[in-house]
């Protein structure tokens, strides 16, 4: 409650012991994590993991059963002029269907005490100027999503929170958003973005917070989370003498599996070892590649068995 | 103040209010026609066929001030309904279009948001009242002229009735906001509002007169507790014998509006927006 906690340079998000119980389900279960400024943090979890509920508690839309969530040291409800500090994009379809895009933004400006021309600037920022005077019901999914981002940017906030913003964006739009969010993080802003698109997250995020069934599964820089997987690297080998090589590799205590295309998947030894073993056994190789585990594999492994939909 | 401006902008940037106003025009014309006939009959001063126990009431209605007040507040029955529905929409459209998330992100102090909505709805109610009064005054004066009664615009009682009519519009808009919070669904709240307003009024009259037959006349005084009857009492222009005084109608309505507003604010403060 102490004032002055907010310093312009910190946009750190701290979630601590956050819990939300609905009638039949504990949507968020004693969840704690931090989100650092200057980085894009991906917030990942299976359907029903509690991502949206967590973000809504962070934004004072849903009351936590227990625990706290602060932005720059303050609860959202205690921020004066919240839009100047925090921007949020929650649902794609959150504008009155009969209102034009520009008027939607002007209504928000009026309530936040922002000058009217911020509406035009924000529309230009997301490339929606040509559709400014069209009604919201005539917007495509991607245009709605962009309007949501424009609304979040009205107050030029230091912290940006997005719930599945890539929904409905075309490849060009997704690339645009990636550059946009990375640019904002580069300026020192805090970006927290939930998503299911793991390959996209791998390109976008610096850090990840992974939750399942309302609980924290893993938090940290993307590289570190991927690297932390016990299994580590896997080597792909293509050879006409699969059986001989398999026998030779097993002697090196590697585990070998064959996929549907006849490619060997070798775990437990690295690529140079496989090459040396092949040479010693006089086996011909057509392909030898190291497969780094990607975010998707790590995610699936980490959340395996933790029921998604509850 | 920022929030009130925003709420008014919300209303102005959608079609709802002028569609409602357009719906009102034919209804206004209809009630004006009915009031014309009634004025014509009452001004003739003919009390033949009126049961003796109602003669005092009818005499009161024949008063020139009462005739004028009735005309200048013409359209109240539907006007209040429409204003209440606008109040309902001020709240329910936020849930219907899921804009409530944005609204509360912009202003996390929900009490302030609801207060702004109440003020904006009340203002809208007054706009409708002004619109109808501006239509009623020339039309009413013309009708009064046609039955050889002056426009009565110098009469304090007439202006009091017009002002109380404004109060009724304002209060019904607030009632609508409260109803909208309690029943978030746009359709649900609208239908409930219409049923309560029209059905409730007729139902209450029927039930009360049945009870009055059994338990005595005093039960009829309970009419006052039915919001729409209380508001029509407010604008009668003169005290009608056997009816509760006008200020009581105003007090009852203010009470309902205060309760509706308070329930609306308290409910929305605690609700999860998900
Ligand atoms: N208002 C509510 N009432 C009851 N249960 C709810 C409510 N909102 C969410 N839940 C439940 O809480 C759990 C978490 O939901 P939440 O929407 O936070 O998940 P999510 O991680 O955002 O999922 P998704 O990836 O599908 O968007 C789910 O089991 C859901 O059914
Ligand atoms: Mg979600």
């Amino acid at each position: 409650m102490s004032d002055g906690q907010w310093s312009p340079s910190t946009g750190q998000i701290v979630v601590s012991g956050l819990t939300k119980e609905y009638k039949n389900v504990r949507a968020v279960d004693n969840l704690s994590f931090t989100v650092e400024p200057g980085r894009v943090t991906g917030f990942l979890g299976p359907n029903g993991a509690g991502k949206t509920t967590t973000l809504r508690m962070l934004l004072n839309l849903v009351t936590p059963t227990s625990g706290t969530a602060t932005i720059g040291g303050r609860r959202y409800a205690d921020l004066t002029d919240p839009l100047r500090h925090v921007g949020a994009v929650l649902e794609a379809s959150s504008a009155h269907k009969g209102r034009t895009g520009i008027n939607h933004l002007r209504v928000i400006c009026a309530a936040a005490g922002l000058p009217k021309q911020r509406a035009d600037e924000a529309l230009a920022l997301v490339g929606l100027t040509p559709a400014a005077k069209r009604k919201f019901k005539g917007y495509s999914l991607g245009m709605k999503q962009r309007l949501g981002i424009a609304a979040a940017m009205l107050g030029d906030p230091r912290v940006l929170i997005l719930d599945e913003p890539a929904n409905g964006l075309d490849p060009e739009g997704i690339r645009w958003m990636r550059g946009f969010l990375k640019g904002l993080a580069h300026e020192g802003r805090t970006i927290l973005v939930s998503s299911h698109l793991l390959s996209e997250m791998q390109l976008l995020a610096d850090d990840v917070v992974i939750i399942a069934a309302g609980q924290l599964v893993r938090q940290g820089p993307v590289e570190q989370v991927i690297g932390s997987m016990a299994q580590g690297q896997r080597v792909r080998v293509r050879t006409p003498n699969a059986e001989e090589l398999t026998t030779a590799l097993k002697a090196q205590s590697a585990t070998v599996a064959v996929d549907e295309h006849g490619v060997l998947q070798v775990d437990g030894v690295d690529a140079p070892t496989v090459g040396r073993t092949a040479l010693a056994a006089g086996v011909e190789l057509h392909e030898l590649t190291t497969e780094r585990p990607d975010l998707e594999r790590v995610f699936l492994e980490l959340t395996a068995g933790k029921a998604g939909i509850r | 103040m920022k929030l009130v401006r925003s709420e008014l902008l919300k209303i102005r940037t959608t079609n709802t209010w002028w569609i409602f106003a357009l719906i009102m025009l034919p209804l206004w014309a209809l009630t004006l026609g009915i009031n014309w006939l009634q004025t014509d009959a009452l001004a003739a001063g003919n009390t033949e066929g009126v049961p003796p126990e109602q003669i005092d009431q009818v005499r009161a209605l024949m008063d020139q001030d009462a005739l004028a007040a009735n005309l200048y507040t013409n359209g109240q029955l539907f006007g209040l309904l429409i204003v209440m529905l606008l109040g309902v929409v001020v709240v329910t459209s936020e849930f219907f279009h899921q804009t409530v998330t944005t609204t509360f992100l912009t202003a996390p102090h929900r009490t302030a948001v609801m207060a702004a909505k109440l003020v904006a709805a009340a203002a809208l109610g007054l706009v409708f009242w002004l619109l109808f009064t501006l239509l009623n005054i020339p039309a009413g004066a013309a009708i009064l002229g046609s039955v050889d009664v002056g426009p009565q615009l110098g009469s304090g009682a007439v202006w009091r009735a017009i002002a109380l009519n404004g109060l009724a519009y304002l209060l019904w808009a607030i009632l609508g906001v409260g109803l909208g919070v309690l029943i978030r669904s746009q359709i649900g709240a609208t239908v409930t509002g219409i049923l309560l307003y029209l059905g409730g009024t007729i139902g209450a009259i029927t039930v009360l007169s049945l009870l009055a037959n059994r338990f005595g006349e005093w039960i009829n005084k309970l009419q006052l507790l039915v919001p729409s009857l209380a508001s029509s009492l407010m604008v009668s222009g003169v005290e009608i014998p056997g009816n509760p005084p006008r200020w009581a109608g105003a007090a009852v309505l203010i009470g309902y509006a205060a309760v509706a507003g308070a329930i609306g604010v308290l409910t929305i403060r605690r609700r999860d927006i998900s």
Side-chain angles (χ1 to χ4, degrees):
Chain A
M1 310 305 108
S2 67
D3 261 313
Q5 285 263 24
W6 179 272
S7 106
S9 58
T10 74
Q12 196 191 37
I13 297 173
V14 179
V15 169
S16 163
L18 206 57
T19 300
K20 179 68 187 182
E21 290 194 24
Y22 286 114
K23 247 176 253 138
N24 311 314
V25 62
R26 190 176 276 223
V28 176
D29 189 358
N30 195 20
L31 181 63
S32 304
F33 62 88
T34 57
V35 179
E36 299 299 334
R39 302 174 72 82
V40 176
T41 302
F43 190 31
L44 314 178
N47 285 130
K51 302 180 294 295
T52 299
T53 307
T54 303
L55 297 181
R56 285 185 172 268
M57 286 194 280
L58 183 56
L59 294 166
N60 190 47
L61 293 167
V62 167
T63 316
T65 308
S66 63
T68 58
T70 58
I71 303 172
R74 291 212 202 162
R75 296 187 317 143
Y76 189 84
D78 296 334
L79 296 176
T80 39
D81 293 335
L83 249 47
R84 291 176 195 265
H85 302 298
V86 183
V89 184
L90 292 183
E91 285 109 338
S93 59
S94 57
H96 192 294
K97 309 223 170 5
R99 198 175 278 139
T100 62
I102 188 76
N103 277 336
H104 172 67
L105 298 183
R106 284 188 183 148
V107 163
I108 301 172
C109 282
L114 295 165
K116 213 166 102 176
Q117 61 268 24
R118 276 302 296 156
D120 304 274
E121 291 167 15
L123 267 192
L125 187 67
V126 300
L128 262 187
T129 310
K133 298 213 167 102
R134 237 183 286 161
K135 287 191 176 169
F136 185 73
K137 64 179 163 217
Y139 278 23
S140 71
L141 193 52
M143 289 161 81
K144 289 177 182 172
Q145 203 62 270
R146 283 172 196 248
L147 185 65
I149 296 174
M153 294 305 294
L154 282 174
D156 194 21
R158 189 172 308 112
V159 177
L160 202 57
I161 295 169
L162 307 101
D163 197 1
E164 317 216 11
N167 259 358
L169 289 185
D170 57 13
E172 171 58 32
I174 290 183
R175 204 180 57 177
W176 167 80
M177 198 177 61
R178 190 189 311 145
F180 180 70
L181 295 181
K182 275 177 177 271
L184 292 175
H186 196 69
E187 293 166 23
R189 300 183 214 240
T190 312
I191 314 291
L192 176 60
V193 43
S194 88
S195 181
H196 292 295
L197 305 178
L198 295 168
S199 50
E200 173 56 26
M201 272 296 148
Q202 193 159 11
L203 293 174
L204 173 63
D206 303 302
D207 296 331
V208 287
V209 172
I210 302 178
I211 66 169
Q215 294 173 321
L216 184 68
V217 173
R218 194 65 59 94
Q219 147 164 48
V222 176
E223 292 306 310
Q224 204 173 309
V225 168
I226 293 176
S228 74
M229 291 302 293
Q231 193 184 32
Q233 313 178 336
R234 164 175 289 183
V235 183
R236 268 171 66 95
V237 189
R238 212 191 282 270
T239 170
N241 314 94
E243 264 169 51
E244 278 176 77
L245 184 59
T246 304
T247 320
L249 285 171
K250 282 193 171 150
Q252 304 272 345
S253 71
T255 47
V256 183
V258 188
D259 76 5
E260 64 270 30
H261 305 297
V263 178
L264 302 186
Q265 315 271 357
V266 186
D267 290 312
V269 292
D270 59 5
T273 311
V274 176
R276 223 176 300 122
T277 311
L279 187 62
V283 169
E284 189 182 336
L285 293 187
H286 292 171
E287 185 189 330
L288 175 62
T289 40
T290 304
E291 258 183 9
R292 290 188 40 73
D294 58 2
L295 193 54
E296 178 174 274
R297 231 177 80 204
V298 174
F299 175 85
L300 290 175
E301 225 151 285
L302 284 173
T303 57
K306 307 214 164 97
I309 315 264
R310 290 168 288 156
Chain B
M1 214 38 230
K2 285 187 299 196
L3 293 176
V4 175
R5 284 225 337 266
S6 173
E7 288 302 328
L8 290 173
L9 190 59
K10 278 180 195 171
I11 295 169
R12 276 196 291 127
T13 52
T14 51
N15 296 337
T16 320
W17 75 271
W18 63 260
I19 291 177
F20 277 34
L22 279 186
I23 295 174
M24 268 313 292
L25 277 180
L27 293 174
W28 171 81
L30 179 73
T31 51
L32 187 73
I34 294 171
N35 276 321
W36 187 353
L37 296 178
Q38 189 188 335
T39 306
D40 210 36
L42 287 170
N46 193 345
T47 54
E48 252 173 61
V50 176
E53 67 271 18
Q54 285 177 18
I55 204 97
D56 282 349
Q57 291 185 12
V58 173
R59 284 243 165 76
L61 288 174
M62 284 173 175
D63 181 276
Q64 297 198 335
D65 279 352
L67 291 178
N70 181 43
L71 284 169
Y72 294 144
T73 60
N74 166 56
Q76 197 202 42
L77 178 69
F78 293 114
L80 296 184
L81 175 64
I82 291 287
V83 159
M84 176 189 66
L85 293 182
L86 278 169
V88 164
V89 169
V90 162
V91 179
T92 54
S93 81
E94 295 253 11
F95 291 99
F96 186 74
H97 298 285
Q98 299 183 354
T99 49
V100 66
T101 295
T102 307
T103 300
F104 286 151
L105 283 177
T106 310
H109 298 284
R110 298 186 184 179
T111 310
V113 173
M114 284 311 293
K117 282 194 183 301
L118 291 170
V119 171
L124 189 64
L126 287 181
V127 167
F128 270 72
W129 163 76
L130 194 66
L131 218 71
F132 286 110
T133 305
L134 288 179
L135 288 172
N136 279 334
I137 286 182
I143 292 175
L144 288 172
S146 79
V147 295
D148 294 327
V149 176
Q152 305 296 323
L153 285 174
S155 155
V158 168
W159 284 106
R160 245 190 326 277
I162 293 178
L164 282 172
N165 193 32
L167 182 63
Y169 274 82
L170 183 153
L171 294 173
W172 275 89
I174 290 178
L175 284 174
V177 172
L179 183 65
V181 175
L182 290 179
I183 306 176
R184 253 176 302 179
S185 138
Q186 183 120 290
I187 307 280
T190 306
V191 170
T192 311
I194 294 176
L195 285 182
L196 280 182
Y197 186 81
L198 296 177
T201 306
I202 297 163
I205 293 178
T206 319
V207 170
L208 284 176
S209 61
L210 281 178
L211 288 177
N213 281 341
R214 176 165 298 210
F215 299 108
E217 267 304 300
W218 62 272
I219 296 259
N220 267 328
K221 294 230 167 40
L222 294 181
Q223 278 192 14
L224 191 62
L225 295 179
V226 182
S228 50
L229 298 181
S231 38
S232 67
L233 179 67
M234 267 167 77
V235 299
S236 53
V238 291
E239 302 289 352
I240 299 168
N243 272 13
R246 277 180 294 161
W247 62 261
V252 166
L253 261 199
I254 290 176
Y256 276 122
V259 169
I263 289 178
V265 170
L266 292 178
T267 313
I268 209 97
R269 273 172 62 109
R270 303 194 301 143
R271 186 177 283 160
D272 283 345
I273 309 296
S274 58

